[in-house]
Amino acid sequence: MSLPPASGRFENGIHRFAARAYFEDTDLTGVVYHANYLRYMERARSDMLSLCGIDQLALLGAGNGYFAVADLSIAYKRPARLGDDLTIVSWVTRVRAAATVMTQQVRRGDEVLTEASVTACWLDAQGRPQRQPRDWATRFEDLRASAEES
Amino acid sequence: MSLPPASGRFENGIHRFAARAYFEDTDLTGVVYHANYLRYMERARSDMLSLCGIDQLALLGAGNGYFAVADLSIAYKRPARLGDDLTIVSWVTRVRAAATVMTQQVRRGDEVLTEASVTACWLDAQGRPQRQPRDWATRFEDLRASAEES
Amino acid sequence: MSLPPASGRFENGIHRFAARAYFEDTDLTGVVYHANYLRYMERARSDMLSLCGIDQLALLGAGNGYFAVADLSIAYKRPARLGDDLTIVSWVTRVRAAATVMTQQVRRGDEVLTEASVTACWLDAQGRPQRQPRDWATRFEDLRASAEES
Amino acid sequence: MSLPPASGRFENGIHRFAARAYFEDTDLTGVVYHANYLRYMERARSDMLSLCGIDQLALLGAGNGYFAVADLSIAYKRPARLGDDLTIVSWVTRVRAAATVMTQQVRRGDEVLTEASVTACWLDAQGRPQRQPRDWATRFEDLRASAEES
């Protein structure tokens, strides 16, 4: 018997994904270490891609390429604490030839703890930016349009 | 709206908890970095305590103490890969005055990827071992007895 | 016998600190995981404070407060690889009442791999922004002025 | 200008390597998180291999294989704290066809904080154990013999 791990879902272009803060995530100030919010956000992005039918492991294995963060801006508003049930809320804000831009928030209930803008670039196996496949770009653009309306 | 994160459950003294392997967990050999299995196992232990009604954050805040790993032996049998749905299966094997010993396995379906024996010690705020509260010891001992029978 | 760990130094307001990329830092794309550059940069900031005579552990223990990242923008230009000898180059760009702003670069030789702007806020024990002690503000302002000239 | 990062050295078969505990390494109990000692020990092992002339990145790139931890036992005796200057002391205790066994201690001055026995297995690109190259086995055996005498 196995249990399903937390999985997110899209609703009107908005992706929601659950995480919980564990000892590993905290530091001695008693709250979540600043770099670890980036890990929560990456889990949510991986889940988004998976829900879009994009298999990152297969693409990497086949030498097709991988997504990498090209730039990221994050504001830390309130800290997360041990045991907090967090929701990572993400939506696409812009689709470019080789990159997709998202806003990602880490929330505890209705409180926004951190908010980030993340540019994820589609790289070839040598790490050079390459044009995103057309069907992905279309999918991301649809998500962006849905989120904008909602 | 928020989503519940993965939570585990006990059945006949056996605790099961879900995790998924993300980019953050892997290293350049393509599989999960050896130290990160310890993070999965700690998440499961925190969930076990929570299901036993033990609030680690409150205990720490009140200066009552905290659980710490006193020793750990782990065998790595097969590697976990990106996207793997993992189950951490844990059961108590021994209850001592100041410590509880568990076996913890990280499984992918029926395959045991790693198996560890972990001794968690109950420390006071100054980090010295202290006797576990009687009701906890009783609870852990009940779990141990149930697991042994199952 | 013990060996001194890597320590940084200031020269004309510019702080340089060494790090090396290990397995723990990489992910399965073969390069350093994006969130881990933030760890390198935090090591450098801790070293800067230490060189300024600020003992973070003592301040935390005495309940005086601690520095936390309030916001951070980072551009990823080129990836670091296993075994790379990196230099984290940091300088103060602005000193405010409760916060200090820095630029931090992770370099491999002369190549800038990532560049970030980091705002570190001085918080009280309850996590609220508080005015930085005057002598720290003076020290940070001196470093800023030196860096600007150099 | 770049600074050399901490590098270790061998003396009579005993390898010493420096590390320092940073915020990233601690958790909310105020001390270093138990899984992070494994990261310190892995840095030391990478440094040992490098001093033995073994280039892990080149071997991985060429598809020759890589070292992986097959099993590990660790005893946590005393905790490391923020800012502690640590020395990882390592020596080979046994050389087998496909694996090398080491003892690794994390020390603060003369105090042993943790002590581990680590079996590192030499795997092929598919993750299967393979015989260590003869010159490596000879080198590891020489280190073992030197350590035993010292």
Side-chain angles (χ1 to χ4, degrees):
Chain A
M1 191 206 71
S2 70
L3 296 171
S7 262
R9 61 168 179 256
F10 277 110
E11 209 173 333
N12 301 322
I14 312 288
H15 181 260
R16 283 181 170 79
F17 182 84
R20 185 172 283 159
Y22 290 102
F23 278 88
E24 61 181 292
D25 300 314
T26 62
D27 70 22
L28 83 164
T29 64
V31 298
V32 169
Y33 181 68
H34 74 289
N36 290 339
Y37 295 91
L38 273 61
R39 301 202 283 125
Y40 300 153
M41 298 191 301
E42 192 268 309
R43 294 179 202 171
R45 292 196 304 275
S46 281
D47 191 73
M48 291 170 85
L49 290 177
S50 178
L51 291 172
C52 289
I54 298 172
D55 181 339
Q56 295 186 89
L57 187 58
L59 290 162
L60 261 167
N64 288 114
Y66 60 94
F67 282 101
V69 176
D71 53 69
L72 181 150
S73 291
I74 181 166
Y76 298 91
K77 298 163 192 287
R78 288 180 189 81
R81 291 176 195 285
L82 183 74
D84 278 352
D85 282 348
L86 305 171
T87 307
I88 294 85
V89 181
S90 310
W91 62 92
V92 173
T93 56
R94 196 169 161 213
V95 182
R96 301 200 318 237
T100 297
V101 187
M102 274 162 286
T103 295
Q104 297 196 277
Q105 297 177 331
V106 178
R107 297 190 194 168
R108 180 178 51 213
D110 290 333
E111 275 187 306
V112 176
L113 306 186
T114 67
E115 177 164 326
S117 176
V118 182
T119 302
C121 208
W122 174 239
L123 305 179
D124 66 18
Q126 283 68 48
R128 289 171 305 222
Q130 60 175 333
R131 184 173 288 271
Q132 301 187 83
R134 181 175 302 270
D135 55 330
W136 298 0
T138 304
R139 180 80 169 104
F140 298 155
E141 180 53 33
D142 287 351
L143 288 170
R144 189 203 60 73
S146 299
E148 199 178 51
E149 281 169 26
S150 72
Chain B
M1 190 207 72
S2 69
L3 296 171
S7 264
R9 59 168 179 258
F10 277 110
E11 209 172 334
N12 301 323
I14 311 288
H15 181 260
R16 283 182 170 79
F17 182 83
R20 186 172 283 158
Y22 289 103
F23 278 87
E24 60 180 295
D25 299 315
T26 62
D27 70 22
L28 83 163
T29 63
V31 297
V32 169
Y33 180 68
H34 73 291
N36 290 338
Y37 295 92
L38 274 62
R39 303 203 282 125
Y40 299 154
M41 298 191 301
E42 191 268 308
R43 294 180 202 171
R45 292 196 305 276
S46 282
D47 191 74
M48 291 170 84
L49 290 177
S50 177
L51 291 172
C52 290
I54 298 173
D55 181 339
Q56 295 187 88
L57 187 58
L59 290 162
L60 261 166
N64 288 114
Y66 59 95
F67 282 102
V69 176
D71 52 67
L72 182 151
S73 291
I74 181 167
Y76 297 91
K77 297 163 192 286
R78 288 181 189 81
R81 292 176 194 285
L82 184 73
D84 278 353
D85 282 348
L86 305 170
T87 307
I88 295 85
V89 181
S90 311
W91 61 91
V92 173
T93 55
R94 195 169 162 214
V95 182
R96 301 200 317 236
T100 297
V101 187
M102 273 162 287
T103 295
Q104 298 196 277
Q105 297 177 332
V106 178
R107 296 190 194 168
R108 181 178 50 213
D110 290 332
E111 274 188 309
V112 176
L113 306 186
T114 67
E115 176 165 326
S117 176
V118 181
T119 303
C121 208
W122 172 238
L123 304 180
D124 66 18
Q126 282 68 47
R128 290 172 303 222
Q130 59 175 334
R131 184 173 288 270
Q132 302 188 81
R134 182 175 302 269
D135 55 330
W136 298 0
T138 305
R139 181 78 169 106
F140 298 154
E141 180 54 34
D142 288 351
L143 289 169
R144 189 204 61 72
S146 298
E148 199 178 53
E149 281 169 26
S150 73
Chain C
M1 190 207 73
S2 68
L3 294 171
S7 263
R9 61 168 177 257
F10 277 110
E11 207 172 337
N12 301 323
I14 312 287
H15 181 260
R16 283 183 170 78
F17 183 84
R20 185 172 284 159
Y22 290 103
F23 278 87
E24 60 180 294
D25 299 315
T26 62
D27 70 23
L28 82 164
T29 63
V31 298
V32 169
Y33 180 68
H34 73 291
N36 290 338
Y37 295 91
L38 274 62
R39 302 202 282 125
Y40 300 154
M41 297 191 302
E42 192 268 309
R43 294 179 203 172
R45 292 196 304 276
S46 281
D47 191 73
M48 291 171 85
L49 289 178
S50 177
L51 291 172
C52 289
I54 297 173
D55 181 339
Q56 295 187 89
L57 187 58
L59 290 162
L60 261 168
N64 287 114
Y66 58 95
F67 282 102
V69 176
D71 53 67
L72 181 149
S73 291
I74 181 166
Y76 298 91
K77 299 162 191 287
R78 287 181 190 80
R81 293 176 194 285
L82 184 73
D84 277 352
D85 282 347
L86 306 171
T87 308
I88 294 86
V89 181
S90 311
W91 61 93
V92 174
T93 56
R94 196 169 162 214
V95 182
R96 300 200 318 237
T100 297
V101 187
M102 273 161 286
T103 295
Q104 297 196 278
Q105 297 176 332
V106 177
R107 296 190 195 168
R108 179 180 49 215
D110 290 332
E111 274 187 308
V112 176
L113 306 186
T114 68
E115 176 165 327
S117 176
V118 182
T119 303
C121 208
W122 173 237
L123 304 179
D124 66 18
Q126 281 68 46
R128 290 172 305 223
Q130 61 176 334
R131 184 174 287 271
Q132 301 187 82
R134 182 176 302 269
D135 54 330
W136 298 1
T138 305
R139 181 80 168 103
F140 298 155
E141 180 53 34
D142 287 351
L143 289 170
R144 190 204 60 73
S146 299
E148 200 180 51
E149 280 169 27
S150 73
Chain D
M1 190 206 73
S2 69
L3 296 170
S7 263
R9 59 169 180 259
F10 277 110
E11 208 172 335
N12 300 324
I14 311 286
H15 181 261
R16 283 181 170 80
F17 183 83
R20 185 174 285 160
Y22 289 102
F23 278 88
E24 61 180 294
D25 299 315
T26 62
D27 70 23
L28 82 165
T29 64
V31 298
V32 169
Y33 181 68
H34 73 290
N36 291 338
Y37 295 92
L38 274 61
R39 302 202 282 124
Y40 300 154
M41 297 190 302
E42 191 268 307
R43 294 179 202 170
R45 292 196 304 276
S46 280
D47 191 75
M48 290 171 84
L49 290 177
S50 177
L51 291 173
C52 289
I54 298 173
D55 181 339
Q56 294 187 89
L57 188 58
L59 290 162
L60 261 167
N64 288 113
Y66 59 94
F67 282 102
V69 176
D71 52 67
L72 182 150
S73 291
I74 181 166
Y76 297 92
K77 299 163 191 286
R78 287 181 189 82
R81 293 176 194 284
L82 183 74
D84 278 352
D85 282 348
L86 305 170
T87 307
I88 294 85
V89 181
S90 311
W91 62 92
V92 173
T93 56
R94 196 168 161 215
V95 182
R96 302 200 316 238
T100 298
V101 187
M102 273 162 285
T103 294
Q104 297 196 277
Q105 297 177 331
V106 177
R107 296 189 195 170
R108 180 179 50 215
D110 290 332
E111 275 187 307
V112 176
L113 306 187
T114 67
E115 177 164 327
S117 176
V118 182
T119 303
C121 208
W122 173 238
L123 304 179
D124 66 18
Q126 281 69 47
R128 289 172 304 222
Q130 60 175 333
R131 184 173 289 272
Q132 301 188 81
R134 181 175 303 270
D135 53 332
W136 298 0
T138 305
R139 180 79 168 105
F140 299 154
E141 181 54 34
D142 287 350
L143 288 169
R144 190 202 62 72
S146 298
E148 199 178 53
E149 280 170 27
S150 73

